[in-house]
Amino acid sequence: NAGVTQTPKFQVLKTGQSMTLQCAQDMNHEYMSWYRQDPGMGLRLIHYSVGAGITDQGEVPNGYNVSRSTTEDFPLRLLSAAPSQTSVYFCASSYARRGQSPLHFGNGTRLTVT
Amino acid sequence: SQQGEEDPQALSIQEGENATMNCSYKTSINNLQWYRQNSGRGLVHLILIRSNEREKHSGRLRVTLDTSKKSSSLLITASRAADTASYFCATDARSGNTPLVFGKGTRLSVIA
């Protein structure tokens, strides 16, 4: 039982490049979400999904796209990377919607945009 | 926008001492959760306390919730060096459709 798996662990991009951060969970959780963590800022929600085919914006969605074609996968796409997107990105899932049950986190992707 | 705010921002104690961290929030909640984050890792869930509960225990952890003061505390008893981590509270607001909102965390250092 792997839980929540994020790939890659580290990534360096140049300004303007695009990439996809992968997130997969094997717990059959309906709810999945993406957070970014910056020093002194805590975790801020980017996008979330309450089930396959359903996504919604969080607090800081600009510059990011998501899709949820299967229950297991929830990729995060950076359309045109900017230095302000340098951060650590966490994917999380839970069996219930919103905050009704504990979140299970992946170990993060550390992204640097130069 | 942050719903929960932890206090203090950083805490340094000796092994064996108790550590207390506080979380204050602004709006009515369904539940409040505490998470731990070790350096370079994802967050790990510790305890969920519902709005109709006042206290919960899990091993050396004790969480209290005072909805009248909109505050919660996390007590770690008999701390160990392995408890060194950042601790976050997260709130599930009763109104609106916003998922869990995290505070900025308390960084705990336990010195052996």
Side-chain angles (χ1 to χ4, degrees):
Chain A
N1 192 342
V4 178
T5 302
Q6 290 185 238
T7 56
K9 287 185 169 53
F10 302 94
Q11 184 70 50
V12 178
L13 291 177
K14 293 190 187 315
T15 297
Q17 287 184 319
S18 63
M19 78 158 295
T20 299
L21 280 62
Q22 301 291 344
C23 175
Q25 52 90 10
D26 62 359
M27 297 172 282
N28 203 31
H29 285 171
E30 290 295 325
Y31 179 84
M32 296 186 74
S33 55
W34 277 100
Y35 290 87
R36 59 178 289 174
Q37 184 176 33
D38 303 293
M41 297 292 290
L43 279 83
R44 292 183 291 170
L45 182 66
I46 305 171
H47 285 285
Y48 64 98
S49 168
V50 298
I54 306 169
T55 63
D56 208 344
Q57 297 181 349
E59 182 186 355
V60 288
N62 292 342
Y64 307 94
N65 271 359
V66 291
S67 59
R68 184 94 181 271
S69 56
T70 67
T71 299
E72 294 78 20
D73 300 299
F74 191 43
L76 178 72
R77 279 182 289 278
L78 278 70
L79 309 173
S80 177
S84 61
Q85 293 178 305
T86 293
S87 187
V88 182
Y89 291 85
F90 289 99
C91 179
S93 72
S94 69
Y95 68 84
R97 293 187 175 200
R98 294 178 46 199
Q100 299 168 8
S101 62
L103 286 173
H104 298 256
F105 281 82
N107 281 326
T109 294
R110 188 174 296 273
L111 175 68
T112 302
V113 183
T114 61
Chain B
S1 58
Q2 248 75 30
Q3 156 80 312
E5 291 290 338
E6 292 90 343
D7 170 63
Q9 290 186 351
L11 179 61
S12 184
I13 60 173
Q14 298 288 327
E15 208 168 28
E17 294 180 336
N18 295 342
T20 300
M21 288 157 270
N22 302 297
C23 171
S24 60
Y25 57 92
K26 297 173 184 172
T27 62
S28 295
I29 59 172
N30 293 313
N31 69 66
L32 184 145
Q33 303 180 30
W34 284 92
Y35 290 80
R36 183 188 74 233
Q37 184 182 32
N38 291 95
S39 181
R41 305 300 296 268
L43 279 71
V44 174
H45 179 260
L46 297 175
I47 288 184
L48 182 154
I49 186 165
R50 303 194 188 282
S51 60
N52 61 352
E53 297 174 312
R54 291 296 166 258
E55 188 171 310
K56 284 189 87 167
H57 297 257
S58 177
R60 293 183 296 111
L61 306 181
R62 172 178 168 249
V63 168
T64 62
L65 179 64
D66 187 334
T67 53
S68 66
K69 295 181 179 178
K70 292 187 170 58
S71 68
S72 173
S73 67
L74 170 65
L75 168 68
I76 304 174
T77 60
S79 63
R80 306 165 181 168
D83 294 327
T84 294
S86 291
Y87 292 82
F88 296 86
C89 69
T91 51
D92 174 30
R94 184 163 294 172
S95 62
N97 200 29
T98 306
L100 272 185
V101 179
F102 284 81
K104 296 179 182 179
T106 292
R107 192 170 58 253
L108 173 66
S109 298
V110 181
I111 303 165

